[in-house]
Amino acid sequence: ERLDERIGHYLASETIPELYRRILKRYEEDYERDRPGLVRDAMTLLWAARRGLSEAELLEMLGDPNGPLPQAHWSPLFLAAEAALVSRSGLLGFAHDYVREAVREECLPSEAAQRSAHLALADYFETQPLAPRKVDELPYQLARAEAWSRLKECITDLEMFLALHTETKKYELL
């Protein structure tokens, strides 16, 4: 009954990021019944990730001390947002920068909020065993969060240092 009104609401957007901000608000209305804050939390984590997040990583971070977020809470949002997301080598990320910009404007308007998002990912990856994902994400997240003392501890850990001191990563390490 209100389809024309809804379409008009979206068409009134002056920019593509504004359109995506409106879509994000709609997702919040539709998919946060069982898990308040799901849209903001999920999009914030995807925004902060260096190369994306695996679904398992994302569900674990969105979960609680009792376990990962149940698929029943995640799947409806994922299916709705699927066109705005892309999977690259099993890592979910945004399909284009318009979505990234909309998430930044809507969910992370301040530098403090952005640093906090990077710290949340750093906290997660810090608890993971040494593996390529941790080596790729942890130092990056600490640098983006400007957590300099933690970054120093991270890259001076002998195992991490050796994992970073490879042909493909050594310039990043320096």
Side-chain angles (χ1 to χ4, degrees):
E1 294 175 13
R2 298 178 52 204
L3 182 60
D4 289 337
E5 178 185 329
R6 206 33 121 168
I7 291 171
H9 171 73
Y10 292 120
L11 290 176
S13 302
E14 294 184 16
T15 65
I16 295 173
E18 182 182 345
L19 172 64
Y20 277 107
R21 284 196 309 276
R22 291 175 187 223
I23 292 170
L24 288 170
K25 287 181 188 298
R26 177 64 188 264
Y27 290 163
E28 289 173 353
E29 293 170 15
D30 292 346
Y31 303 107
E32 293 193 350
R33 223 177 343 262
D34 297 322
R35 167 48 167 83
L38 174 62
V39 173
R40 179 175 297 274
D41 294 346
M43 296 302 162
T44 295
L45 291 170
L46 290 172
W47 177 89
R50 181 179 194 176
R51 301 188 201 287
L53 295 170
S54 71
E55 191 172 47
E57 292 167 343
L58 187 59
L59 293 178
E60 193 171 336
M61 285 185 268
L62 292 171
D64 59 28
N66 297 323
L69 180 73
Q71 280 286 344
H73 295 201
W74 166 246
S75 290
L77 172 60
F78 174 72
L79 292 172
E82 194 171 24
L85 301 174
V86 65
S87 177
R88 294 178 185 98
S89 301
L91 300 178
L92 287 176
F94 297 125
H96 45 77
D97 285 335
Y98 292 124
V99 181
R100 180 177 212 61
E101 183 179 340
V103 168
R104 184 187 50 75
E105 290 173 2
E106 187 65 30
C107 304
L108 301 150
S110 69
E111 287 186 26
Q114 294 168 21
R115 281 193 302 274
S116 179
H118 288 295
L119 271 178
L121 283 173
D123 291 344
Y124 170 78
F125 281 104
E126 202 165 48
T127 66
Q128 302 303 302
L130 190 64
R133 287 288 297 141
K134 180 175 183 171
V135 172
D136 192 44
E137 287 284 346
L138 181 57
Y140 173 84
Q141 297 302 334
L142 292 170
R144 298 295 301 206
E146 299 178 7
W148 306 122
S149 62
R150 283 178 66 186
L151 178 59
K152 179 184 140 200
E153 289 175 29
C154 171
I155 64 175
T156 57
D157 173 79
L158 185 57
E159 288 182 17
M160 178 64 85
F161 181 85
L162 292 173
L164 287 166
H165 196 273
T166 63
E167 200 59 41
T168 58
K169 294 256 183 214
K170 66 182 174 186
Y171 293 107
E172 185 176 331
L173 174 63
L174 294 174

